[in-house]
Amino acid sequence: MADRFSNGSTANDQGGLGSDPMVSGFDPTKKGFYNGGDLAGLLDKIDYIQGLGTTSIWLTPSFKNKAVQPEDKSAGYHGYWITDFTQIDPHLGTNAELKTLIDEAHARGMKVYFDIITNHTADVIGYEGADGKGARKGYTSKDAEPYRTADGEEFDDRDFAGSDSFPKLDPAASFPYVPVLQPGEEDLKVPDWLNDPTLYHNRGDTTFAGEDAYYGDFFGLDDLFTEHPAVVDGMKDIYKTWIRDFGVDGFRIDTMKHVNNEFWQEFGPDVLNYAKEQGKDEFFMFGEVFDTSKSFTSQFTTRNQMQAVLDFPFQDAARNFASKGQGTKSLETFFAGDDWYTDADSNVYQLPTFLGNHDMGRIGSFIAADNPGSTDAEQVARDQLAHELMYFSRGNPVIYYGDEQGFTGPGGDQDARQTLFASQVPEYLDDDLLGTDATHGTDNFDTSHPLYAKISELAALTKEHPALRDGAHQHRYVSEGAGIYAFSRTDAEDQREYVVALNNSEQAQTAEVPTYISKRNYTRVYGNGAEEAKTSADGKLTVTVPPLSAVVYQSSGRIPHSKDAPAVVLQEPAAVPGDNGRLKVTADVGGSSFYEVTFEAKKAGGDWQAIGTDDTAPYQVFHDVADLNAGTAVEYRATVLDNGGHTATSQPRTASVPAPLLTLQKPVEGSSAKGTVELSATADPEKASHVVSFERSVGGGEWTAVGTDDSSPVYSVTDDVSRLADGSTVRYRASMTGAGFNVVSDVRTVTVGDAPQPDSVTVAGSMNQLMGCTEPWQPSCAQAMLKLDPADKIWRLTVDLPKGQYGYKAALNGTWDVSYGAGGSAGGGDIVLDHPGGTVTFRYDNSTHVISAVYASQQPSAVAVAGSLNKALGCATDWEPSCDQAQLTLDPADLVWKLTVGNLPAGSYEFKAALNRTWDVNYGAGGVSPGANILYEHDGGPVTFRYDHATHVITAG
């Protein structure tokens, strides 16, 4: 993050905008403003960067930003509020300085990647209110207010996505809100096409779920109409220019999952081809898909034809292993899912791996939080272990600046964006850094820091032994519980095997690790242990690994060549949970040496086409068939290549493309409803041609139609239950018919009126004995029973538990007759709690049946009821989130924030919850951020405001 790395020139600190921080955005005492770092500082410290073993520099967005967004009372130091996509932000330097930095990096053999945005621009567009002025608004769905052409005809934009045509739009008639530009900002954005308000979705702020995750504004940021060909072409032109004129080597792409698939399917291949035409044969693009499910994140590299995505699933797995000390079996399971990424031109080896970032927080922060009371030495060891796992396993390691100096911080976002140069931010000065007595009050470019030294060592080792960076990653061994996880890395040409063993326990561990070679010497090239070891007759290598560390051994020679290719047999291809648009194709190979298996597919009358190559057992690919009609026959075969150059091909097998899977997302099973019920469904795989019908059955009666919807990607209707008696049960289902299929969703049941509360709710789990129960998983245990809060009808219990991993569910009425597990599912799977030790609050909502665990450490530092009542509370002005008299207090007994006002005058008031004494994060009606103002009619007298951070809902009563 250039603003937070090094300040090479104070002349550009204010960006040429003057000394007022609310104009220039520069205030080095505030973490939400520009702090002074720039491109000149990066260039000045390039020796420090290269000393880590860095081969590429990834810059967070560096284009010209809207310096300050007054609604947010913070600045665009982070680079995500772009107004000019053709110019470097003046706070960071000039285009010429960027070119100088790139040229110097290239001269040193390093690449420079740009962080780019295609989803949104700065917040310039407002939505017309009754006063004619623009303001941020809550989200309005496509079903409530469809898009309309300039002539007033309704249409679904997804019917045109990916095509060269799009209906003509009118700002005053085509959108649910009329977009408004403030005087003087009509031509603010560059290039000029970005000033056309019809090229934005104009639907209000997102809640980051369902349809609005694609169409909503991120905290007011203008969300581009990426389904429109003018936007697709415009974005391609912008970023091609940076490739051509500045020699940028690749892009990290922000908010990828919030943009429609058709955009990426055109943008990715076209930009990559252009880069190669400019001589950039190694041009590389990777996207941010903030999700830990490989079946989902991999869709962007397979179905959407992008090269790679940031490996968020790895970050989660690495933290669980190195920081939380979870059982090593979880790593085996994690790496076994790597084949989700395999297709004809990409695989998991391309993914950038990381341990923390500028949004979620730092690995040092996670380690400190996961291991309260641990010593600095242990925390540094766990940090080094996390980096060892990242450097030795598949993927391309990414270091977030400051991690090499032991930076921590209390959370993500602004709390994880400390300066490497001396800071003046009070919140940063309180941080406790790992591996050093230094603070953020001084520069932190210490090349002798133990983490800087360790990362440099790891980089040098993988450079000397490239198989540790690019070789095939083959699972080898897991301990029972915490202990050793081991794998091999093997280069397909060199054929030397490297055995990597990592120990996440606090005691030395020994394991017999399978290898490719029997009776062969292996030499230690990393870590502490025996210098030489020899495999047994059955090819096992005995290794001893010290606590919280790793060892690496290299075979003394190549893997012996096979004399003949092994037999290969295809299993029956089948659909798999997680992505119904892909077929899992697995090959059984009759051997135990190093092999590469290439899979091919063909349709009737077509030719064989390669669909991916796998170099580690089990050998499999997940073939994307989402574009094919249900029932289409696809033939598969597999060819194995052994390390002696021999091949063998399987007999072909044929499979049919499965019917799409239709899932009801709303209502929640067993929930209650008054007035109306919102119904929504999703289809997997999604197609713009889908039409979904909804039906209901009242009291077990006949199914009757509720409505239909053809507006993708989320299909929804609303059902009126206001005329049904309280206590009535209504069942809902969705159905869909198309080429080769007729499918029906699961059934969801709701109760009209308030759902009756159970007699009791127990958090029944493996920790019950620690709570004073006679046995684990005891639903009748009084000590594990939650208490109903009549104010919000949430059941809660706060307990003190030792550190550990626990499983639990909600058991109702003291028995297992009715229980709810993960996701509020009746009789569902156990919920896993990785508990750092100390107090935890369990909460159960009977309207959704979801039971969860919340912590005081997850809470904001402050919560205010900010609104038109603030003067009445004694504040200087209304709508003042920093006012002391408006601050709620966290109740440690239930983790609900509360403020009781003894005598609030009668009147009509509006308010929201504002966090951390600013408007940076705030929640309105329904817990939506920023959400609509909450209206409150008060008769006068006492009132209590309550805020639950688990739901973000603030109430008065």
Side-chain angles (χ1 to χ4, degrees):
M1 183 167 282
D3 178 65
R4 303 302 168 93
F5 192 78
S6 177
N7 191 347
S9 171
T10 58
N12 56 29
D13 285 354
Q14 296 170 356
L17 299 174
S19 60
D20 184 351
M22 291 305 297
V23 176
S24 72
F26 174 69
D27 187 340
T29 68
K30 293 183 179 179
K31 60 185 178 180
F33 283 70
Y34 288 95
N35 279 195
D38 48 33
L39 298 179
L42 275 169
L43 184 60
D44 182 56
K45 297 294 184 181
I46 199 165
D47 286 342
Y48 170 88
I49 295 171
Q50 191 172 26
L52 270 173
T54 303
T55 58
S56 300
I57 301 171
W58 151 20
L59 295 172
T60 51
S62 303
F63 307 112
K64 184 178 181 180
N65 268 233
K66 196 171 188 180
V68 177
Q69 291 187 168
E71 299 91 337
D72 301 295
K73 295 189 175 180
S74 64
Y77 70 95
H78 41 67
Y80 292 97
W81 299 346
I82 302 173
T83 56
D84 187 343
F85 286 80
T86 69
Q87 180 185 348
I88 291 298
D89 192 301
H91 296 83
L92 305 181
T94 65
N95 288 18
E97 286 179 296
L98 173 70
K99 187 66 167 63
T100 299
L101 174 64
I102 293 174
D103 289 346
E104 178 61 26
H106 287 173
R108 294 167 175 254
M110 292 190 291
K111 294 181 170 63
V112 176
Y113 294 133
F114 253 30
D115 196 326
I116 68 169
I117 304 168
T118 64
N119 179 66
H120 57 261
T121 70
D123 181 11
V124 176
I125 296 173
Y127 301 122
E128 189 175 62
D131 58 1
K133 296 181 179 179
R136 296 178 181 179
K137 301 279 189 179
Y139 187 80
T140 299
S141 72
K142 294 202 296 180
D143 298 305
E145 289 288 343
Y147 285 117
R148 291 175 170 83
T149 68
D151 296 328
E153 296 182 7
E154 294 183 6
F155 75 98
D156 184 4
D157 59 289
R158 291 292 176 112
D159 293 337
F160 298 90
S163 72
D164 293 330
S165 63
F166 206 84
K168 185 177 180 181
L169 304 177
D170 182 343
S174 296
F175 305 95
Y177 299 117
V178 175
V180 175
L181 296 171
Q182 297 302 314
E185 293 190 341
E186 297 90 346
D187 300 308
L188 180 65
K189 298 177 185 178
V190 181
D192 184 62
W193 63 267
L194 290 165
N195 295 305
D196 181 353
T198 68
L199 295 180
Y200 297 85
H201 284 135
N202 297 324
R203 292 199 162 271
D205 278 355
T206 182
T207 65
F208 301 97
E211 173 192 298
D212 66 69
Y214 295 94
Y215 292 87
D217 298 335
F218 280 40
F219 304 105
L221 299 175
D222 302 345
D223 204 68
L224 281 156
F225 215 143
T226 49
E227 295 79 7
H228 199 300
V231 174
V232 180
D233 292 340
M235 280 293 161
K236 288 193 297 184
D237 289 344
I238 285 171
Y239 294 118
K240 286 178 181 178
T241 299
W242 287 98
I243 298 169
R244 182 187 68 237
D245 294 349
F246 293 86
V248 173
D249 299 292
F251 297 137
R252 179 268 191 186
I253 305 173
D254 187 60
T255 56
M256 181 176 275
K257 74 175 184 178
H258 299 288
V259 176
N260 56 297
N261 292 349
E262 296 85 356
F263 179 93
W264 301 122
Q265 289 162 3
E266 182 169 345
F267 180 91
D270 192 38
V271 171
L272 181 59
N273 288 336
Y274 180 82
K276 290 182 176 179
E277 290 172 0
Q278 303 303 307
K280 294 283 183 180
D281 292 336
E282 295 184 350
F283 193 84
F284 185 51
M285 290 182 284
F286 53 100
E288 178 209 28
V289 183
F290 200 156
D291 194 283
T292 59
S293 168
K294 291 184 179 183
S295 60
F296 176 70
T297 57
S298 62
Q299 292 179 14
F300 293 86
T301 65
T302 54
R303 185 170 305 159
N304 289 350
Q305 303 175 50
M306 299 301 293
Q307 289 169 286
V309 291
L310 282 162
D311 200 346
F312 280 90
F314 174 86
Q315 188 280 332
D316 183 60
R319 177 182 179 180
N320 290 339
F321 174 78
S323 181
K324 295 181 178 180
Q326 288 186 5
T328 58
K329 182 71 175 177
S330 61
L331 274 185
E332 178 188 15
T333 301
F334 167 77
F335 286 115
D338 281 352
D339 293 323
W340 279 104
Y341 295 96
T342 302
D343 65 3
D345 61 1
S346 63
N347 55 44
V348 74
Y349 296 101
Q350 297 173 217
L351 303 193
T353 52
F354 66 101
L355 301 172
N357 65 22
H358 58 290
D359 290 326
M360 63 168 44
R362 297 182 177 278
I363 182 60
S365 174
F366 301 143
I367 289 171
D370 295 338
N371 300 275
S374 59
T375 64
D376 181 69
E378 178 186 337
Q379 293 180 12
V380 170
R382 291 188 180 278
D383 201 313
Q384 292 176 333
L385 178 64
H387 283 90
E388 287 166 339
L389 175 64
M390 179 170 69
Y391 268 82
F392 294 146
S393 61
R394 90 294 182 275
N396 296 301
V398 176
I399 301 299
Y400 179 41
Y401 83 96
D403 284 0
E404 78 283 1
Q405 296 294 331
F407 283 14
T408 56
D413 200 75
Q414 295 179 10
D415 287 332
R417 299 173 180 178
Q418 304 92 333
T419 57
L420 270 175
F421 57 97
S423 177
Q424 302 176 47
V425 176
E427 295 94 329
Y428 294 159
L429 299 180
D430 289 338
D431 287 354
D432 186 10
L433 282 64
L434 305 187
T436 180
D437 293 328
T439 72
H440 289 297
T442 61
D443 288 358
N444 282 282
F445 296 96
D446 180 9
T447 57
S448 66
H449 189 286
L451 290 171
Y452 184 101
K454 175 59 65 175
I455 294 168
S456 299
E457 179 188 7
L458 294 171
L461 184 72
T462 57
K463 182 178 181 180
E464 182 182 355
H465 302 277
L468 293 172
R469 177 77 292 105
D470 302 321
H473 178 127
Q474 175 66 60
H475 163 73
R476 288 304 188 188
Y477 177 89
V478 290
S479 299
E480 290 292 332
I484 290 178
Y485 173 71
F487 54 92
S488 291
R489 300 302 303 273
T490 306
D491 181 81
E493 294 184 8
D494 181 61
Q495 291 281 305
R496 290 179 185 270
E497 181 178 22
Y498 290 80
V499 174
V500 179
L502 305 106
N503 179 12
N504 73 338
S505 76
E506 296 180 34
Q507 300 81 34
Q509 299 280 337
T510 299
E512 294 182 347
V513 180
T515 70
Y516 286 125
I517 318 171
S518 63
K519 298 182 179 180
R520 181 66 63 84
N521 287 329
Y522 281 68
T523 302
R524 178 173 53 82
V525 296
Y526 179 82
N528 296 316
E531 298 226 356
E532 300 282 343
K534 189 173 184 179
T535 55
S536 61
D538 60 354
K540 290 183 178 178
L541 183 73
T542 300
V543 297
T544 297
V545 189
L548 301 178
S549 62
V551 296
V552 180
Y553 285 85
Q554 177 191 19
S555 67
S556 61
R558 296 169 57 94
I559 300 169
H561 282 175
S562 300
K563 295 180 180 179
D564 297 293
V568 55
V569 178
L570 278 185
Q571 295 182 14
E572 184 72 27
V576 288
D579 186 350
N580 199 56
R582 286 194 263 187
L583 287 171
K584 180 181 178 181
V585 188
T586 302
D588 293 327
V589 177
S592 59
S593 188
F594 179 81
Y595 306 121
E596 294 176 304
V597 178
T598 298
F599 295 85
E600 296 174 291
K602 74 171 180 177
K603 293 174 286 187
D607 297 324
W608 288 107
Q609 301 287 334
I611 58 173
T613 297
D614 191 7
D615 57 12
T616 59
Y619 301 97
Q620 58 190 6
V621 293
F622 295 84
H623 183 216
D624 196 317
V625 293
D627 287 341
L628 302 178
N629 289 331
T632 300
V634 183
E635 194 173 5
Y636 294 99
R637 71 182 183 187
T639 299
V640 59
L641 170 68
D642 70 7
N643 65 347
H646 312 105
T647 62
T649 301
S650 72
Q651 292 296 313
R653 297 198 74 155
T654 301
S656 296
V657 174
L661 183 65
L662 189 62
T663 303
L664 272 182
Q665 303 294 344
K666 295 180 181 178
V668 174
E669 171 62 25
S671 60
S672 58
K674 293 182 178 180
T676 60
V677 179
E678 183 181 355
L679 311 178
S680 68
T682 55
D684 179 19
E686 168 57 38
K687 292 184 179 180
S689 58
H690 289 330
V691 179
V692 176
S693 299
F694 295 88
E695 298 175 296
R696 78 176 191 181
S697 167
V698 180
E702 294 184 359
W703 289 99
T704 58
V706 176
T708 62
D709 185 24
D710 62 357
S711 178
S712 61
V714 178
Y715 306 88
S716 58
V717 297
T718 300
D719 185 33
D720 184 355
V721 296
S722 61
R723 297 183 181 181
L724 299 179
D726 283 358
S728 299
T729 58
V730 186
R731 295 186 299 157
Y732 293 99
R733 70 183 184 188
S735 61
M736 183 173 67
T737 301
F741 69 89
N742 186 353
V743 295
V744 179
S745 74
D746 57 327
V747 174
R748 301 282 178 90
T749 303
V750 303
T751 301
V752 178
D754 288 327
Q757 296 290 341
D759 295 332
S760 68
V761 177
T762 306
V763 54
S766 60
M767 68 290 189
N768 283 163
Q769 282 181 296
L770 297 170
M771 300 167 69
C773 306
T774 58
E775 59 184 3
W777 299 96
Q778 187 179 0
S780 61
C781 175
Q783 293 93 322
M785 289 183 177
L786 286 66
K787 182 179 179 181
L788 178 65
D789 188 335
D792 59 6
K793 297 184 174 61
I794 300 297
W795 297 75
R796 295 183 177 88
L797 173 67
T798 298
V799 295
D800 195 322
L801 293 172
K803 178 181 178 180
Q805 186 178 85
Y806 305 106
Y808 68 94
K809 294 183 181 182
L812 274 52
N813 304 320
T815 75
W816 284 114
D817 292 348
V818 179
S819 68
Y820 296 95
S825 175
D830 296 348
I831 303 166
V832 177
L833 174 66
D834 290 310
H835 182 54
T839 57
V840 56
T841 298
F842 294 96
R843 65 187 308 280
Y844 171 79
D845 184 343
N846 196 52
S847 68
T848 62
H849 304 307
V850 171
I851 185 170
S852 57
V854 294
Y855 292 91
S857 61
Q858 298 169 333
Q859 303 296 317
S861 60
V863 176
V865 53
S868 61
L869 71 168
N870 285 159
K871 282 187 178 180
L873 298 182
C875 304
T877 61
D878 283 333
W879 298 98
E880 183 47 64
S882 62
C883 170
D884 289 340
Q885 294 91 326
Q887 303 302 314
L888 284 67
T889 300
L890 181 65
D891 186 340
D894 56 15
L895 296 189
V896 176
W897 295 77
K898 302 168 186 175
L899 172 65
T900 297
V901 179
N903 187 19
L904 182 68
S908 295
Y909 299 101
E910 297 181 59
F911 64 89
K912 292 183 178 182
L915 274 53
N916 306 323
R917 294 180 176 265
T918 76
W919 284 113
D920 290 353
V921 180
N922 65 86
Y923 298 95
V928 175
S929 177
N933 294 342
I934 300 166
L935 306 179
Y936 178 51
E937 298 290 338
H938 185 54
D939 295 332
V943 58
T944 296
F945 296 93
R946 297 165 52 95
Y947 171 79
D948 188 342
H949 195 55
T951 60
H952 306 305
V953 170
I954 186 170
T955 59

